[in-house]
Amino acid sequence: MSSPTASAAPAEPASVDTPALTMAGVSKIYGRDEQQVTALDEVDLTVASDEMVVLIGPSGSGKTTLLTVAGALLRATSGTVRVGDVDLGDLGDGKLSAFRRDRIGFVFQSVNLVPFLTARENLLAVRQFGGGRIDRAARERADQLLDELGLADRSKNLPSQLSGGQKQRVAIGRALMNDPDLVLIDEPTSALDSKLGQQVMELLHREIKQRGVAAIVVTHDERVIDFGDRTVEIVDGALQ
Amino acid sequence: MSIALKELFRQPRRFSAVTGAMTLLIVLLVVLGGFLDGLELSQTGAYRAHDGNVLVFDDTSERQLQRSRVPTTVADELSVQPGIAAVGSLDATFTVAGIADEAAGVDGRDELEDVALFGYDLATDVLPEPPTAGEAIVDEQLRRVADVEVGDIIEIGPSAEPVTIAAIVDDLTNGAPTVWVGVEEWRRLVALGNPSAVPPEGTAQILVVRPAATPAEAVTAVDGAGLGGVEAITVDEAIEALDVVQQQSSTFQGIISVTFIVVLLVVALFFALITLERVGLYAVFKALGARTGELLLGLSAQAVVISLVAIAVGFALSALFVSFLPPELPLRVEPARLGQIALGTIVTALLGSLFTARRILRIDPAEAIG
Ligand SMILES: Nc1ncnc2c1ncn2[C@@H]1O[C@H](COP(=O)(O)OP(=O)(O)O)[C@@H](O)[C@H]1O
Ligand SMILES: [Mg+2]
């Protein structure tokens, strides 16, 4: 990072005006014939390059599906999805996985840390995928993130030696490790008690705002809604 | 270090069962291979003593030494051919040798050993010039089983004809420990015990041709000499023609192949199970940008490390096991065989680890979320 100022690192020039995410008329239909489920129904959503959107909705309303499609994990059945200036429909499967690694950060609902890697190695691992190398810059970034997330003294611990909140913080660090343009976070507080959930959300908000990154945070926890710049509600696959 | 190897070294217990199974299979492979080599070597020592030479059989003998009869006039004709440095006779018969043992007392004869008695003309890399009449050269195997040394007297054949040991050469076991004498001495000794076993006057069982340059050129020279009724072949070809070697070799090769298939199945099954356990983890890896190829590479790296550990431990256990086997067993551990087992194990394990390729390819990164 080349920012001369200590905090607010500027986003890349190209993405200042371009929205981080543009979904236009996006539908996602699971299954076929009688078993069809319309998980997303003609969704239009634009997330500005430094915006933090909170997505709420009842269980089964399509929140996770929206993240999956926005994050290039699943292709939309119809409609267009643009991340920055890239139309995901133009990318082949191979390019898609490299795109995910470089441009998108995920925090999965079930945390999903690699059980046999330490906190620090869990962050570094995302650098290795797709044939990347762990250089000094990567190590410095991992250490800086762990420090910011209050995990400096936990960096050598395995996930089994961390509390639920600490694991969630490692997952956030992992999502930010490759300096993504868009961070997608699925129910970050669902496994935490409310005080811990509050803390994790504060941290998440700070990290994301500090970096000027766009984010979608899925939740059905009423108390975390305030952290977003904007709240969007989804019911039966359609945005309200 | 790669993520896969970190997993291997940090959770070694997950891999201990498959490593243990592979180790035992490697011990089995070493022992089987040892018997294969031991049996083959112990049937062919006299042939291998003639490595680099060409053997001339009677063409109706099916390349069997004791069935062959070649006139010695052929030797005279061949010796003047270009490409041929020297020609000599080689005769063989199975008999017994009594070990004269003064210390054993009264009859001075307490032990009979089966031996293969050879009459020869030409020195080779292993055999010195034939000894004079009344003397014999014996091999290391006879020294081991009969505890004889240079200067001792052994008694050849049913008539117990005494000969003095002039030299001891490397183990040339050829179905039995070997005793080597000059051709004339051989005819004399065989005639005393079993006259019908002596080839007619003026014939040898086979001829040994020492090439001027390469064995191939010498074979061509013999073929080009226009002599009917004989066939020149290399030592390796003569060994291949031995029924006993062929049968043992194909039996053991069969068992060894089956053992490798078991290794393949064990490794494939292990990685299939471990992949099943890791579907969630692999989905996360894929969601984070890992390609299927990388994941497979990780599995392959694990398979190779497991193989290396199993090979090291397996070889050590084999050495221990072999040291407890009775020395009479024809088991020979050859470095080339060990190399083949090591390489075969690594390749087999790699193949086994790649059986999961399809499964891993099908893992959907979308499974990681939600
Ligand atoms: N892989 C799938 N196959 C079929 N149906 C699915 C799949 N994933 C989700 N669904 C269905 O799509 C709808 C939306 O699911 P999801 O996006 O997980 O909702 P949420 O995250 O809001 O609970 C639900 O009806 C769910 O059953
Ligand atoms: Mg969900």
Side-chain angles (χ1 to χ4, degrees):
Chain A
M1 302 266 279
S2 55
S3 168
T5 50
S7 62
E12 263 124 41
S15 58
V16 169
D17 305 310
T18 324
L21 174 72
T22 314
M23 300 175 84
V26 172
S27 295
K28 176 69 198 179
I29 298 169
Y30 289 114
R32 51 172 66 120
D33 304 330
E34 275 104 83
Q35 271 124 46
Q36 279 194 357
V37 178
T38 304
L40 292 180
D41 189 4
E42 298 282 328
V43 167
D44 297 307
L45 176 66
T46 303
V47 180
S49 62
D50 57 354
E51 193 179 20
M52 183 161 169
V53 171
V54 171
L55 180 64
I56 58 167
S59 180
S61 58
K63 304 184 296 294
T64 296
T65 303
L66 191 148
L67 289 193
T68 315
V69 172
L73 284 171
L74 278 185
R75 292 184 187 277
T77 309
S78 62
T80 56
V81 181
R82 300 176 70 86
V83 173
D85 48 8
V86 177
D87 186 338
L88 296 187
D90 294 343
L91 298 180
D93 287 347
K95 287 235 175 77
L96 216 53
S97 85
F99 182 84
R100 275 199 304 272
R101 183 197 61 208
D102 297 335
R103 305 282 293 270
I104 295 171
F106 290 103
V107 180
F108 306 109
Q109 194 168 355
S110 43
V111 186
N112 275 332
L113 298 179
V114 183
F116 49 83
L117 295 182
T118 65
R120 186 170 186 260
E121 288 166 346
N122 261 285
L123 265 60
L124 291 170
V126 293
R127 275 289 163 94
Q128 257 172 305
F129 294 132
R133 281 193 50 236
I134 297 177
D135 50 14
R136 220 179 65 156
R139 278 191 281 271
E140 281 171 5
R141 181 167 175 84
D143 289 334
Q144 188 201 341
L145 278 166
L146 289 169
D147 194 32
E148 286 173 18
L149 294 164
L151 292 168
D153 58 339
R154 293 275 168 207
S155 66
K156 289 196 170 64
N157 287 62
L158 293 173
S160 58
Q161 299 162 322
L162 298 175
S163 71
Q166 286 168 338
K167 278 189 245 190
Q168 192 62 268
R169 281 185 272 157
V170 175
I172 291 168
R174 181 172 68 179
L176 295 170
M177 182 66 196
N178 278 350
D179 203 11
D181 302 335
L182 177 64
V183 183
L184 303 170
I185 304 144
D186 201 1
E187 312 217 15
T189 59
S190 63
L192 307 176
D193 66 40
S194 62
K195 182 156 159 275
L196 222 61
Q198 199 82 4
Q199 276 173 10
V200 166
M201 276 310 292
E202 272 167 31
L203 204 65
L204 194 55
H205 183 258
R206 194 183 76 209
E207 287 295 325
I208 283 176
K209 282 297 155 191
Q210 200 177 66
R211 293 190 156 69
V213 179
I216 302 178
V217 183
V218 163
T219 187
H220 53 231
D221 185 347
E222 297 288 329
R223 284 160 308 205
V224 308
I225 293 172
D226 311 335
F227 287 97
D229 300 319
R230 174 158 66 107
T231 300
V232 176
E233 194 183 358
I234 185 171
V235 176
D236 287 341
L239 295 188
Q240 302 299 296
Chain B
M1 193 180 12
S2 86
I3 292 170
L5 293 184
K6 283 201 180 103
E7 177 182 23
L8 187 56
F9 293 125
R10 291 193 188 159
Q11 303 188 327
R13 291 177 59 189
R14 294 189 74 184
F15 299 87
S16 58
V18 69
T19 313
M22 280 181 74
T23 302
L24 294 180
L25 287 167
I26 285 167
V27 173
L28 185 61
L29 283 168
V30 171
V31 172
L32 288 170
F35 273 114
L36 171 60
D37 293 334
L39 283 169
E40 174 164 341
L41 292 175
S42 70
Q43 299 291 347
T44 59
Y47 291 86
R48 282 179 295 103
H50 288 87
D51 252 342
N53 292 295
V54 165
L55 306 179
V56 178
F57 287 77
D58 138 11
D59 65 3
T60 63
S61 67
E62 291 175 348
R63 302 178 172 184
Q64 305 300 308
L65 201 152
Q66 297 199 55
R67 217 180 287 164
S68 175
R69 295 286 181 274
V70 180
T72 44
T73 51
V74 170
D76 302 334
E77 290 177 54
L78 286 179
S79 58
V80 298
Q81 294 292 321
I84 291 176
V87 185
S89 300
L90 182 65
D91 298 295
T93 191
F94 285 100
T95 182
V96 289
I99 310 305
D101 184 355
E102 288 83 13
V106 218
D107 57 2
R109 178 169 180 172
D110 64 348
E111 223 182 324
L112 279 182
E113 292 291 345
D114 289 321
V115 295
L117 178 66
F118 285 86
Y120 74 110
D121 282 331
L122 298 183
T124 70
D125 295 344
V126 188
L127 290 165
E129 292 294 337
T132 55
E135 287 190 338
I137 292 166
V138 305
D139 73 1
E140 178 62 24
Q141 180 66 5
L142 188 65
R143 190 195 66 72
R144 253 194 313 256
V145 298
D147 193 24
V148 291
E149 55 191 76
V150 172
D152 282 0
I153 292 171
I154 56 174
E155 295 164 342
I156 301 293
S159 62
E161 195 61 20
V163 294
T164 307
I165 296 175
I168 293 177
V169 293
D170 290 350
D171 183 354
L172 298 180
T173 310
N174 205 86
T178 56
V179 176
W180 298 79
V181 296
V183 169
E184 283 314 310
E185 178 72 349
W186 183 85
R187 296 182 75 91
R188 184 180 75 84
L189 291 172
V190 176
L192 285 170
N194 181 8
S196 66
V198 185
E201 199 62 42
T203 60
Q205 287 177 345
I206 64 169
L207 300 179
V208 176
V209 171
R210 184 187 296 156
T214 65
E217 281 171 27
V219 169
T220 316
V222 176
D223 293 346
L227 305 159
V230 296
E231 180 185 29
I233 56 176
T234 63
V235 168
D236 284 343
E237 287 168 332
I239 289 174
E240 276 166 33
L242 296 172
D243 285 346
V244 61
V245 170
Q246 278 175 354
Q247 284 161 7
Q248 285 167 353
S249 157
S250 56
T251 306
F252 275 92
Q253 296 288 8
I255 305 175
I256 288 172
S257 307
V258 170
T259 309
F260 271 118
I261 292 173
V262 174
V263 173
L264 184 72
L265 291 179
V266 165
V267 175
L269 191 68
F270 171 76
F271 279 104
L273 289 175
I274 213 168
T275 302
L276 223 56
E277 269 180 53
R278 288 171 177 160
V279 168
L281 189 62
Y282 283 162
V284 173
F285 284 171
K286 282 191 167 188
L288 295 174
R291 292 182 299 241
T292 300
E294 280 173 82
L295 301 179
L296 282 176
L297 206 65
L299 286 186
S300 303
Q302 290 179 341
V304 170
V305 173
I306 289 172
S307 305
L308 291 176
V309 172
I311 288 165
V313 180
F315 282 3
L317 280 182
S318 304
L320 196 69
F321 180 73
V322 168
S323 72
F324 282 110
L325 289 178
E328 301 88 80
L329 287 178
L331 186 133
R332 288 272 286 266
V333 180
E334 297 281 302
R337 175 70 61 187
L338 293 182
Q340 194 190 344
I341 290 171
L343 194 71
T345 303
I346 292 173
V347 171
T348 309
L350 272 176
L351 280 178
S353 71
L354 295 180
F355 271 34
T356 51
R358 249 163 47 91
R359 182 76 192 83
I360 292 178
L361 192 66
R362 287 210 314 265
I363 292 177
D364 185 351
E367 286 170 38
I369 206 162

